[in-house]
Amino acid sequence: MKSENKNLIGLERVKKWLYAKDLAQRSSGCVLCGSCYGHGPANPMEDTPGPKEKCPPYEFYRFQRHTPKSRWLMSQRVFHGLDPITPELKEVIYACTNCLMCQELCGVRDDGYGPWDITVAMREEITEKEGPIDAHRPIYHGLQQHDNPWAIAESERGAWAKGLGLKHLTDASASTLLFAGCSADQASGQSGAIALAKLMQRAAEDFVILGKQEKCCGLYAFDLGFRREYERLSKINLATINNAGIKRVVVACGSCQRIWREYAKTPGVKFEVMHGVEYVERLIAAGRLKFIKPVNKKVTYHDSCHLGRGCGVYDAPRRILRAIPRLQLVEMERNQRWAWCCGGGGGVPEADPELAHWCATDRLREAGASGAELVLTSSALCQRSFADLEEPALPLQDLLEFVCQAL
Ligand code: SF4
Ligand code: SF4
């Protein structure tokens, strides 16, 4: 996202990447290389072979129209007025799980834009012209009415912190904010926020939370194409931390991390953004947290798309696990940059539940094949995605919740 384009919405926002008619605005568009979905090497600039499977909806449907390349080309035709927005087009555009693999692979995205940005811009275009699709309407209204994608009213939010004795920003101050994320208001997404708070307390860190006043970071608004809602939420969240003099935001969810990093690029703002795993790794390195109890287990770690490809955080979770005596960490075949998506992002669980289910099942099958007894995650979105499976191949747990047993 470029700061000069902040007020543009939809395909106008990315027109430079859609071969705009104005020559001065042109940039390199899709060159049809196929790197974002083909089973060949990662891309011509990579030394590594990359993963065989790349784009989840393409692997699920196996139709060309479900490739990132096709999304780019279809959006281009809409931009030039050659095609209308059809139900078939929407089906394809909303099957993107926002896994960011195409961004990682596309060789022409040298300036922060890529096939995924075009997909998001196309969603913005659809929202502007027709409003949200039916499957995403509850999320849209939840954000508009309650600043929460699950439509949880302010009076019912923040229950995850009950009984922990944490300081609230409304009646206390500190330079560090623990941002729990909207998933902490759901049963499947609470454990990460609770564990992070306990670890920070254990290290005697001074921090505050927002509790009931916490509003969505805007992840759903950004990824589902509700650009106006995203801009509104980002302004509120930035004003909150600026007014309170917050210098560091520690987030409990990998997807919130991606959005808070976007906030941090806003001109004139200055604060540090870290995920809980990065923060805990720092506390361990400083000797303020020590794992003394051995844990006789074999575990594997699932890299969340947004924390991994979105923010480049791969080492911190692995270093934390290696600091635990007797714990064995085994890797899945597709890990780090090439980790397979759990299917939980991009509004796909709502718009295409079969695809979301297939992604999560395939990921846990792979986790089982690694020989691990347990899968660890650092994202509440992934946690929810796996928790939705009726018969998961392996049990799963939030990484920070898991490591608490070694203190
Ligand atoms: S973000 Fe992921 S799912 Fe979406 S088009 Fe790119 S590779 Fe496919
Ligand atoms: S979107 Fe990028 S990686 Fe995919 S075909 Fe086009 S240029 Fe190649």
Side-chain angles (χ1 to χ4, degrees):
M1 190 179 24
K2 290 273 161 120
S3 54
E4 69 268 23
N5 283 344
K6 271 233 148 169
N7 298 322
L8 296 175
I9 295 184
L11 297 177
E12 260 313 299
R13 188 166 66 76
V14 292
K15 76 172 177 186
K16 193 171 165 186
W17 286 267
L18 294 163
Y19 290 110
K21 285 169 192 148
D22 175 2
L23 209 60
Q25 283 293 305
R26 278 195 190 177
S27 177
S28 53
C30 172
V31 294
L32 315 180
C33 69
S35 300
C36 53
Y37 66 94
H39 289 179
N43 73 40
M45 269 82 87
E46 292 275 353
D47 292 330
T48 52
K52 181 167 169 274
E53 299 90 2
K54 292 164 181 169
C55 173
Y58 173 65
E59 293 300 328
F60 182 62
Y61 288 108
R62 288 301 181 98
F63 286 122
Q64 270 286 324
R65 65 175 184 272
H66 277 285
T67 62
K69 174 192 82 175
S70 296
R71 290 188 180 88
W72 190 316
L73 299 183
M74 285 188 264
S75 304
Q76 196 167 312
R77 289 183 62 83
V78 173
F79 175 73
H80 287 293
L82 299 171
D83 283 341
I85 294 168
T86 60
E88 293 75 23
L89 171 74
K90 286 201 268 189
E91 199 184 302
V92 169
I93 292 296
Y94 289 99
C96 164
T97 63
N98 286 11
C99 76
L100 306 175
M101 183 70 92
C102 53
Q103 296 282 109
E104 190 74 28
L105 291 160
C106 180
V108 303
R109 46 127 214 143
D110 61 349
D111 37 21
Y113 285 90
W116 170 74
D117 295 290
I118 309 290
T119 300
V120 170
M122 190 66 230
R123 290 179 174 193
E124 291 169 18
E125 189 83 9
I126 293 168
T127 307
E128 283 297 294
K129 294 205 162 109
E130 305 179 2
I133 57 168
D134 289 346
H136 293 165
R137 215 171 277 279
I139 296 176
Y140 184 70
H141 290 143
L143 291 170
Q144 278 196 323
Q145 290 160 14
H146 302 287
D147 302 314
N148 180 283
W150 326 122
I152 300 175
E154 192 173 302
S155 58
E156 292 161 37
R157 295 205 293 261
W160 66 269
K162 211 170 166 193
L164 294 178
L166 306 177
K167 291 201 300 183
H168 285 241
L169 188 59
T170 36
D171 46 33
S173 63
S175 58
T176 299
L177 170 75
L178 189 167
F179 187 87
C182 299
S183 297
D185 286 317
Q186 294 194 320
S188 61
Q190 289 186 343
S191 54
I194 295 171
L196 175 58
K198 285 183 177 168
L199 289 163
M200 288 170 79
Q201 281 178 320
R202 175 87 172 216
E205 289 293 287
D206 185 30
F207 66 99
V208 285
I209 62 165
L210 282 159
K212 291 184 193 310
Q213 279 77 41
E214 188 178 296
K215 299 180 190 310
C216 177
C217 65
L219 171 90
Y220 276 90
F222 189 110
D223 289 3
L224 272 50
F226 313 151
R227 188 79 190 183
R228 291 178 198 276
E229 280 304 301
Y230 171 73
E231 301 289 356
R232 183 182 70 79
L233 289 163
S234 67
K235 277 196 192 95
I236 296 173
N237 284 321
L238 276 172
T240 301
I241 65 160
N242 283 344
N243 295 341
I246 299 291
K247 299 277 175 271
R248 182 192 292 138
V249 179
V250 186
V251 298
C253 170
S255 295
C256 300
Q257 165 88 336
R258 205 194 91 220
I259 295 297
W260 274 96
R261 286 214 179 170
E262 284 296 330
Y263 288 179
K265 292 178 199 162
T266 309
V269 304
K270 202 166 169 21
F271 61 92
E272 187 184 17
V273 181
M274 304 177 87
H275 187 276
V277 292
E278 295 176 287
Y279 198 71
V280 167
E281 187 208 8
R282 199 186 272 189
L283 292 173
I284 295 168
R288 299 187 47 206
L289 273 181
K290 282 196 174 68
F291 297 131
I292 45 170
K293 293 188 194 150
V295 179
N296 269 315
K297 266 216 157 79
K298 196 192 261 193
V299 299
T300 191
Y301 175 69
H302 165 71
D303 292 277
S304 120
C305 300
H306 295 169
L307 186 61
R309 284 185 285 276
C311 301
V313 177
Y314 298 116
D315 294 339
R318 292 173 168 81
R319 284 202 195 109
I320 293 173
L321 295 173
R322 288 195 189 104
I324 298 177
R326 293 213 208 125
L327 184 72
Q328 219 185 319
L329 171 66
V330 287
E331 293 288 357
M332 286 185 249
E333 194 183 335
R334 299 170 291 186
N335 60 67
Q336 303 190 48
R337 279 180 78 195
W338 311 131
W340 187 243
C341 175
C342 74
V348 169
E350 293 78 16
D352 195 339
E354 228 180 299
L355 167 59
H357 184 272
W358 177 77
C359 289
T361 306
D362 193 43
R363 188 56 169 161
L364 287 193
R365 174 208 53 77
E366 185 180 2
S370 73
E373 308 159 61
L374 178 69
V375 191
L376 301 172
T377 68
S378 295
S379 170
L381 221 70
C382 306
Q383 190 87 2
R384 182 179 68 130
S385 189
F386 293 135
D388 282 348
L389 294 179
E390 276 165 21
E391 289 179 22
L394 275 189
L396 70 137
Q397 194 172 12
D398 176 84
L399 184 143
L400 293 183
E401 185 190 39
F402 173 80
V403 304
C404 284
Q405 66 184 294
L407 288 170

mmCIF file of all heavy atoms in Angstrom, residues 29-37 42-43 68-70 72-73 102 105-109 114-116, ligand 2:
data_model
loop_
_atom_site.group_PDB
_atom_site.id
_atom_site.type_symbol
_atom_site.label_atom_id
_atom_site.label_comp_id
_atom_site.label_asym_id
_atom_site.label_seq_id
_atom_site.Cartn_x
_atom_site.Cartn_y
_atom_site.Cartn_z
ATOM 1 N N GLY A 29 3.005 -4.878 -15.649
ATOM 2 C CA GLY A 29 1.851 -5.660 -15.204
ATOM 3 C C GLY A 29 2.210 -7.124 -15.211
ATOM 4 O O GLY A 29 3.382 -7.495 -15.290
ATOM 5 N N CYS A 30 1.202 -7.963 -15.135
ATOM 6 C CA CYS A 30 1.420 -9.407 -15.163
ATOM 7 C C CYS A 30 2.048 -9.797 -16.502
ATOM 8 O O CYS A 30 1.564 -9.397 -17.563
ATOM 9 C CB CYS A 30 0.076 -10.115 -14.985
ATOM 10 S SG CYS A 30 0.168 -11.882 -15.228
ATOM 11 N N VAL A 31 3.123 -10.581 -16.450
ATOM 12 C CA VAL A 31 3.787 -11.000 -17.691
ATOM 13 C C VAL A 31 3.454 -12.455 -18.034
ATOM 14 O O VAL A 31 4.114 -13.072 -18.869
ATOM 15 C CB VAL A 31 5.321 -10.794 -17.604
ATOM 16 C CG1 VAL A 31 5.663 -9.332 -17.512
ATOM 17 C CG2 VAL A 31 5.924 -11.578 -16.444
ATOM 18 N N LEU A 32 2.457 -13.000 -17.361
ATOM 19 C CA LEU A 32 1.930 -14.338 -17.651
ATOM 20 C C LEU A 32 2.971 -15.444 -17.460
ATOM 21 O O LEU A 32 2.941 -16.459 -18.150
ATOM 22 C CB LEU A 32 1.369 -14.413 -19.083
ATOM 23 C CG LEU A 32 0.489 -13.264 -19.569
ATOM 24 C CD1 LEU A 32 0.034 -13.534 -20.998
ATOM 25 C CD2 LEU A 32 -0.708 -13.072 -18.672
ATOM 26 N N CYS A 33 3.898 -15.235 -16.539
ATOM 27 C CA CYS A 33 4.977 -16.220 -16.372
ATOM 28 C C CYS A 33 4.501 -17.505 -15.704
ATOM 29 O O CYS A 33 5.124 -18.553 -15.841
ATOM 30 C CB CYS A 33 6.125 -15.611 -15.572
ATOM 31 S SG CYS A 33 5.690 -15.307 -13.845
ATOM 32 N N GLY A 34 3.422 -17.420 -14.957
ATOM 33 C CA GLY A 34 2.884 -18.628 -14.314
ATOM 34 C C GLY A 34 3.547 -18.992 -13.000
ATOM 35 O O GLY A 34 3.200 -20.013 -12.392
ATOM 36 N N SER A 35 4.488 -18.178 -12.536
ATOM 37 C CA SER A 35 5.205 -18.513 -11.294
ATOM 38 C C SER A 35 4.289 -18.594 -10.083
ATOM 39 O O SER A 35 4.589 -19.270 -9.115
ATOM 40 C CB SER A 35 6.278 -17.467 -10.994
ATOM 41 O OG SER A 35 7.198 -17.404 -12.043
ATOM 42 N N CYS A 36 3.163 -17.873 -10.128
ATOM 43 C CA CYS A 36 2.299 -17.792 -8.945
ATOM 44 C C CYS A 36 1.411 -19.008 -8.769
ATOM 45 O O CYS A 36 0.731 -19.136 -7.764
ATOM 46 C CB CYS A 36 1.473 -16.520 -8.997
ATOM 47 S SG CYS A 36 0.565 -16.321 -10.547
ATOM 48 N N TYR A 37 1.380 -19.909 -9.749
ATOM 49 C CA TYR A 37 0.526 -21.087 -9.583
ATOM 50 C C TYR A 37 1.106 -22.359 -10.191
ATOM 51 O O TYR A 37 0.727 -23.469 -9.816
ATOM 52 C CB TYR A 37 -0.861 -20.847 -10.191
ATOM 53 C CG TYR A 37 -0.841 -20.681 -11.701
ATOM 54 C CD1 TYR A 37 -1.068 -21.771 -12.550
ATOM 55 C CD2 TYR A 37 -0.568 -19.447 -12.272
ATOM 56 C CE1 TYR A 37 -1.026 -21.618 -13.932
ATOM 57 C CE2 TYR A 37 -0.526 -19.290 -13.639
ATOM 58 C CZ TYR A 37 -0.745 -20.378 -14.466
ATOM 59 O OH TYR A 37 -0.696 -20.224 -15.824
ATOM 60 N N ALA A 42 10.161 -21.428 -8.188
ATOM 61 C CA ALA A 42 9.463 -20.317 -7.524
ATOM 62 C C ALA A 42 9.230 -19.167 -8.492
ATOM 63 O O ALA A 42 8.104 -18.787 -8.773
ATOM 64 C CB ALA A 42 10.264 -19.860 -6.316
ATOM 65 N N ASN A 43 10.267 -18.590 -9.013
ATOM 66 C CA ASN A 43 10.160 -17.617 -10.102
ATOM 67 C C ASN A 43 11.546 -17.469 -10.710
ATOM 68 O O ASN A 43 12.524 -17.926 -10.127
ATOM 69 C CB ASN A 43 9.530 -16.285 -9.638
ATOM 70 C CG ASN A 43 10.438 -15.429 -8.788
ATOM 71 O OD1 ASN A 43 11.632 -15.321 -9.052
ATOM 72 N ND2 ASN A 43 9.871 -14.815 -7.760
ATOM 73 N N PRO A 68 -3.834 -16.658 -9.555
ATOM 74 C CA PRO A 68 -3.616 -15.222 -9.297
ATOM 75 C C PRO A 68 -3.489 -14.444 -10.609
ATOM 76 O O PRO A 68 -4.000 -13.332 -10.744
ATOM 77 C CB PRO A 68 -2.295 -15.201 -8.512
ATOM 78 C CG PRO A 68 -2.173 -16.576 -7.931
ATOM 79 C CD PRO A 68 -2.839 -17.501 -8.898
ATOM 80 N N LYS A 69 -2.826 -15.053 -11.587
ATOM 81 C CA LYS A 69 -2.664 -14.418 -12.904
ATOM 82 C C LYS A 69 -4.031 -14.068 -13.504
ATOM 83 O O LYS A 69 -4.250 -12.956 -13.990
ATOM 84 C CB LYS A 69 -1.923 -15.396 -13.828
ATOM 85 C CG LYS A 69 -1.807 -14.953 -15.259
ATOM 86 C CD LYS A 69 -1.325 -16.076 -16.151
ATOM 87 C CE LYS A 69 -2.486 -16.984 -16.545
ATOM 88 N NZ LYS A 69 -2.102 -18.035 -17.504
ATOM 89 N N SER A 70 -4.961 -15.014 -13.458
ATOM 90 C CA SER A 70 -6.288 -14.766 -14.042
ATOM 91 C C SER A 70 -7.023 -13.668 -13.280
ATOM 92 O O SER A 70 -7.748 -12.870 -13.881
ATOM 93 C CB SER A 70 -7.128 -16.040 -14.027
ATOM 94 O OG SER A 70 -6.515 -16.994 -14.848
ATOM 95 N N TRP A 72 -5.684 -11.154 -11.922
ATOM 96 C CA TRP A 72 -5.072 -9.920 -12.414
ATOM 97 C C TRP A 72 -5.665 -9.547 -13.772
ATOM 98 O O TRP A 72 -6.095 -8.419 -14.010
ATOM 99 C CB TRP A 72 -3.548 -10.131 -12.513
ATOM 100 C CG TRP A 72 -2.727 -8.903 -12.785
ATOM 101 C CD1 TRP A 72 -2.995 -7.915 -13.687
ATOM 102 C CD2 TRP A 72 -1.511 -8.537 -12.132
ATOM 103 N NE1 TRP A 72 -2.000 -6.968 -13.648
ATOM 104 C CE2 TRP A 72 -1.076 -7.319 -12.709
ATOM 105 C CE3 TRP A 72 -0.717 -9.116 -11.144
ATOM 106 C CZ2 TRP A 72 0.102 -6.682 -12.316
ATOM 107 C CZ3 TRP A 72 0.450 -8.481 -10.756
ATOM 108 C CH2 TRP A 72 0.847 -7.274 -11.329
ATOM 109 N N LEU A 73 -5.720 -10.524 -14.679
ATOM 110 C CA LEU A 73 -6.200 -10.243 -16.039
ATOM 111 C C LEU A 73 -7.681 -9.885 -16.054
ATOM 112 O O LEU A 73 -8.108 -8.990 -16.790
ATOM 113 C CB LEU A 73 -5.936 -11.455 -16.953
ATOM 114 C CG LEU A 73 -4.464 -11.853 -17.116
ATOM 115 C CD1 LEU A 73 -4.325 -13.012 -18.082
ATOM 116 C CD2 LEU A 73 -3.601 -10.678 -17.585
ATOM 117 N N CYS A 102 1.266 -15.599 -3.738
ATOM 118 C CA CYS A 102 1.532 -15.005 -5.056
ATOM 119 C C CYS A 102 2.397 -13.754 -4.930
ATOM 120 O O CYS A 102 3.237 -13.478 -5.799
ATOM 121 C CB CYS A 102 0.235 -14.726 -5.807
ATOM 122 S SG CYS A 102 -0.967 -13.758 -4.891
ATOM 123 N N LEU A 105 5.892 -14.832 -4.690
ATOM 124 C CA LEU A 105 6.437 -15.465 -5.891
ATOM 125 C C LEU A 105 6.533 -14.550 -7.104
ATOM 126 O O LEU A 105 7.371 -14.751 -7.975
ATOM 127 C CB LEU A 105 5.551 -16.658 -6.273
ATOM 128 C CG LEU A 105 5.604 -17.852 -5.322
ATOM 129 C CD1 LEU A 105 4.369 -18.721 -5.511
ATOM 130 C CD2 LEU A 105 6.861 -18.654 -5.544
ATOM 131 N N CYS A 106 5.649 -13.567 -7.188
ATOM 132 C CA CYS A 106 5.556 -12.784 -8.418
ATOM 133 C C CYS A 106 6.790 -11.909 -8.624
ATOM 134 O O CYS A 106 7.104 -11.069 -7.785
ATOM 135 C CB CYS A 106 4.298 -11.918 -8.392
ATOM 136 S SG CYS A 106 4.104 -10.926 -9.870
ATOM 137 N N GLY A 107 7.441 -12.112 -9.735
ATOM 138 C CA GLY A 107 8.688 -11.392 -10.020
ATOM 139 C C GLY A 107 8.499 -9.950 -10.432
ATOM 140 O O GLY A 107 9.457 -9.188 -10.468
ATOM 141 N N VAL A 108 7.269 -9.522 -10.774
ATOM 142 C CA VAL A 108 7.115 -8.144 -11.246
ATOM 143 C C VAL A 108 6.722 -7.181 -10.136
ATOM 144 O O VAL A 108 6.585 -5.994 -10.353
ATOM 145 C CB VAL A 108 6.082 -8.012 -12.406
ATOM 146 C CG1 VAL A 108 6.460 -8.903 -13.560
ATOM 147 C CG2 VAL A 108 4.671 -8.306 -11.930
ATOM 148 N N ARG A 109 6.509 -7.719 -8.948
ATOM 149 C CA ARG A 109 6.057 -6.819 -7.879
ATOM 150 C C ARG A 109 7.265 -6.261 -7.114
ATOM 151 O O ARG A 109 7.608 -6.698 -6.056
ATOM 152 C CB ARG A 109 5.094 -7.501 -6.926
ATOM 153 C CG ARG A 109 5.522 -8.874 -6.484
ATOM 154 C CD ARG A 109 5.524 -9.029 -4.990
ATOM 155 N NE ARG A 109 6.607 -9.913 -4.619
ATOM 156 C CZ ARG A 109 7.337 -9.750 -3.547
ATOM 157 N NH1 ARG A 109 7.166 -8.734 -2.752
ATOM 158 N NH2 ARG A 109 8.279 -10.610 -3.267
ATOM 159 N N GLY A 114 1.302 -6.412 -6.100
ATOM 160 C CA GLY A 114 1.400 -7.705 -6.749
ATOM 161 C C GLY A 114 0.014 -8.255 -7.009
ATOM 162 O O GLY A 114 -0.983 -7.558 -6.810
ATOM 163 N N PRO A 115 -0.067 -9.514 -7.449
ATOM 164 C CA PRO A 115 -1.374 -10.076 -7.804
ATOM 165 C C PRO A 115 -2.377 -10.047 -6.658
ATOM 166 O O PRO A 115 -3.573 -9.856 -6.884
ATOM 167 C CB PRO A 115 -1.045 -11.518 -8.214
ATOM 168 C CG PRO A 115 0.368 -11.761 -7.820
ATOM 169 C CD PRO A 115 1.040 -10.439 -7.704
ATOM 170 N N TRP A 116 -1.892 -10.202 -5.429
ATOM 171 C CA TRP A 116 -2.836 -10.165 -4.300
ATOM 172 C C TRP A 116 -3.408 -8.752 -4.109
ATOM 173 O O TRP A 116 -4.591 -8.584 -3.832
ATOM 174 C CB TRP A 116 -2.125 -10.638 -3.021
ATOM 175 C CG TRP A 116 -2.946 -10.400 -1.787
ATOM 176 C CD1 TRP A 116 -4.045 -11.100 -1.389
ATOM 177 C CD2 TRP A 116 -2.741 -9.386 -0.807
ATOM 178 N NE1 TRP A 116 -4.544 -10.579 -0.218
ATOM 179 C CE2 TRP A 116 -3.763 -9.531 0.163
ATOM 180 C CE3 TRP A 116 -1.791 -8.373 -0.647
ATOM 181 C CZ2 TRP A 116 -3.857 -8.695 1.276
ATOM 182 C CZ3 TRP A 116 -1.889 -7.543 0.445
ATOM 183 C CH2 TRP A 116 -2.915 -7.705 1.395
HETATM 184 S S1 SF4 B 2 0.839 -12.511 -11.460
HETATM 185 FE FE1 SF4 B 2 3.076 -12.357 -11.376
HETATM 186 S S2 SF4 B 2 3.792 -14.472 -11.031
HETATM 187 FE FE2 SF4 B 2 1.626 -14.596 -11.691
HETATM 188 S S3 SF4 B 2 1.735 -14.927 -13.917
HETATM 189 FE FE3 SF4 B 2 1.566 -12.698 -13.574
HETATM 190 S S4 SF4 B 2 3.696 -11.937 -13.507
HETATM 191 FE FE4 SF4 B 2 3.774 -14.175 -13.251
#
